[in-house]
Amino acid sequence: MMALARKRGVFLCRQMLEVTSQPTKGTKLRNMSIWPSRKRKITAAGYALLAIPATTFFLGCWQVKRRAWKLDLISEIEKNMILEPEALPDDLLKIENMEYRKVHIQGYFDHSREFYIQPRSLIKHGGHLPSGGLYTDPSGIGVNVVTPFHLTDRNASILVNRGWVPKTKIDARTRAEGQIEGEIHFVGVVRLTEQRPAFMQKNNSRSNFMFYRDIDAMAHQLGTSPVFVDADYDSSVPGGPIGGQTRLQLRNEHWSYIITWYTLAIATSYMWYRKVLLKLPLL
């Protein structure tokens, strides 16, 4: 009897060991966890792929900074445009710190050496045009006329964007009425050199037609100081260019860029995690 009891005890112990050694539901769930095993190693290719979400995240942060810069620039432009006009500084080099500031200009034009910036669309002033203006092209595409202007309060000449004319009036002989002679006074808006837009062809240094505002190149060709002002709308005369062609509406699409780059950062981070850490197919 003692031997039989001993055998039954051994049998029951074996049964209990077998039961406890089997994985429970919790164990299976832990083994099937989405968290990667510590034994898995990331290869060099995996680290290289990590550059994609890292780059898109960096670009999103960069666009946040760009948006803040653009908002500050717009605020500064709006502030400068409502200030009262002031005289040109004695040192014309200080003009670099005065973009979008209004200045008083007095002197006379040299119409024999016009430059043209093309193509340019007409910027209407308050939704209307000056009487006797040159707006005849329904497409509104033409050029801005840039003319050397000699200052009478000093021995210097600057560049003045007189305004817009249609393509049919580029030749100065077709708008002789608007070629102002003698000494005049007007208000202009200081402008700086314009960076060449993407995919825009380069200016031809031997031509008097330009595609973007390169002040140094124009000043060198015309022998003027590298100072450029947009004549205001009130400077417009019948038969002459339409002034007030200062474009103030700056593109501010940085919110859409921020959303795009951060969304790509999240998506590519998940794809990297799934592919590199979990070793699962992307789809």
Side-chain angles (χ1 to χ4, degrees):
M1 292 291 291
M2 293 290 294
L4 181 61
R6 202 177 288 117
K7 286 183 180 180
R8 287 183 178 178
V10 171
F11 176 77
L12 290 173
C13 288
R14 286 179 178 175
Q15 289 293 319
M16 291 176 66
L17 287 173
E18 287 179 2
V19 171
T20 55
S21 65
Q22 289 180 1
T24 63
K25 279 188 175 182
T27 304
K28 288 183 179 180
L29 288 175
R30 284 194 293 272
N31 290 337
M32 296 172 63
S33 172
I34 62 171
W35 299 104
S37 171
R38 293 182 180 178
K39 296 181 180 180
R40 290 176 180 170
K41 294 182 179 180
I42 302 175
T43 63
Y47 282 115
L49 289 173
L50 189 59
I52 299 175
T55 300
T56 53
F57 179 78
F58 168 78
L59 289 172
C61 296
W62 179 64
Q63 285 298 329
V64 171
K65 292 184 177 181
R66 287 279 297 174
R67 181 176 181 272
W69 168 82
K70 182 64 68 67
L71 292 175
D72 289 341
L73 177 61
I74 292 172
S75 176
E76 182 180 355
I77 291 172
E78 292 175 345
K79 187 195 311 179
N80 287 341
M81 290 299 294
I82 62 175
L83 294 176
E84 290 296 318
E86 59 184 279
L88 281 171
D90 294 332
D91 183 0
L92 291 178
L93 294 179
K94 293 182 179 179
I95 209 79
E96 293 182 0
N97 300 319
M98 296 177 61
E99 187 167 25
Y100 292 106
R101 293 293 297 271
K102 294 179 181 179
V103 291
H104 291 288
I105 306 293
Q106 186 165 341
Y108 53 87
F109 287 109
D110 180 2
H111 297 294
S112 65
R113 299 187 296 158
E114 288 184 344
F115 255 66
Y116 311 99
I117 301 179
Q118 64 172 357
R120 287 293 184 270
S121 56
L122 173 65
I123 300 175
K124 297 182 182 181
H125 181 80
H128 65 276
L129 300 170
S131 59
L134 293 174
Y135 185 71
T136 58
D137 187 346
S139 68
I141 301 299
V143 303
N144 284 349
V145 179
V146 179
T147 309
F149 188 85
H150 183 75
L151 301 170
T152 52
D153 64 342
R154 69 194 76 188
N155 185 26
S157 295
I158 63 173
L159 300 164
V160 174
N161 172 20
R162 293 188 63 200
W164 180 92
V165 298
K167 292 179 290 186
T168 55
K169 297 291 184 178
I170 292 177
D171 189 340
R173 292 172 296 183
T174 63
R175 46 184 167 83
E177 181 186 358
Q179 301 297 78
I180 307 171
E181 299 293 342
E183 185 173 335
I184 62 169
H185 170 271
F186 63 91
V187 173
V189 178
V190 176
R191 303 303 309 277
L192 300 182
T193 288
E194 178 184 19
Q195 296 298 320
R196 181 167 72 95
F199 310 112
M200 176 74 73
Q201 66 185 92
K202 293 183 178 180
N203 289 330
N204 184 348
S205 60
R206 298 181 179 180
S207 172
N208 62 339
F209 283 86
M210 289 194 166
F211 299 99
Y212 51 94
R213 189 177 58 254
D214 188 338
I215 297 175
D216 288 334
M218 284 189 285
H220 177 74
Q221 285 187 251
L222 296 173
T224 70
S225 299
V227 176
F228 190 103
V229 299
D230 290 335
D232 68 358
Y233 176 79
D234 293 333
S235 70
S236 306
V237 297
I242 300 172
Q245 300 302 303
T246 303
R247 191 172 298 278
L248 299 177
Q249 295 178 345
L250 301 180
R251 293 179 60 188
N252 186 13
E253 300 177 352
H254 295 290
W255 258 128
S256 61
Y257 298 148
I258 291 170
I259 294 172
T260 298
W261 287 122
Y262 280 149
T263 301
L264 286 173
I266 294 171
T268 53
S269 296
Y270 173 74
M271 293 169 68
W272 181 86
Y273 171 77
R274 183 178 175 88
K275 181 69 176 178
V276 176
L277 294 184
L278 298 186
K279 310 297 182 183
L280 296 174
L282 295 178
L283 298 177

